[in-house]
Amino acid sequence: VQLQASGGGLVQAGGSLRLSCVASGSFVSNNGMAWYRQAPGKERELVAAVTSGGNKRYADSVEGRFFISRDGAKNTVALQMNSLKPEDTAIYYCNANLRRAWGRDFTDYWGQGTLVTVSS
């Protein structure tokens, strides 16, 4: 299983970026996908998540500015980030909760991370 993320970069405060991630490989079920981020010197934190049923949740710090979407058929997840702030600067990681085979538990898989830098 591989998660390939893209879309990071440098943007000025107030700007927008869109992150995308695709899960590929051998798995039989996708329970949900999410985006996490880790800023320098801080712990990794959940930014946004969407379940297989379409339920979404967001970190308080991004509510109303970031929007997560998912294409279940293509096993992709996107994060539209608007009104970016310098404190949004971090490495953003894609996450997927997948089942490799029937009868096995769901397991978390991670992408390689994509850097988002917001300048003031």
Side-chain angles (χ1 to χ4, degrees):
V1 173
Q2 284 190 329
L3 270 65
Q4 182 67 43
S6 60
L10 173 65
V11 64
Q12 288 189 334
S16 298
L17 279 176
R18 184 176 178 86
L19 305 181
S20 298
C21 176
V22 57
S24 61
S26 179
F27 55 92
V28 298
S29 183
N30 184 337
N31 194 39
M33 301 184 77
W35 289 94
Y36 287 72
R37 68 185 181 187
Q38 187 166 18
K42 295 187 177 181
E43 294 187 353
R44 189 174 297 191
E45 63 173 356
L46 175 68
V47 177
V50 57
T51 69
S52 58
N55 293 317
K56 302 175 183 179
R57 60 189 174 110
Y58 297 91
D60 289 344
S61 59
V62 307
E63 183 79 52
R65 299 188 298 122
F66 290 12
F67 301 94
I68 191 169
S69 60
R70 178 189 174 199
D71 186 328
K74 297 180 179 179
N75 289 299
T76 60
V77 65
L79 185 69
Q80 177 65 42
M81 304 185 294
N82 302 323
S83 302
L84 282 159
K85 304 175 181 180
E87 51 264 42
D88 294 319
T89 295
I91 298 174
Y92 284 70
Y93 295 92
C94 175
N95 165 275
N97 189 242
L98 306 174
R99 176 180 279 164
R100 293 293 303 275
W102 297 115
R104 296 180 63 175
D105 291 336
F106 283 95
T107 303
D108 280 331
Y109 292 87
W110 297 89
Q112 80 284 8
T114 184
L115 178 62
V116 172
T117 304
V118 184
S119 62
S120 57

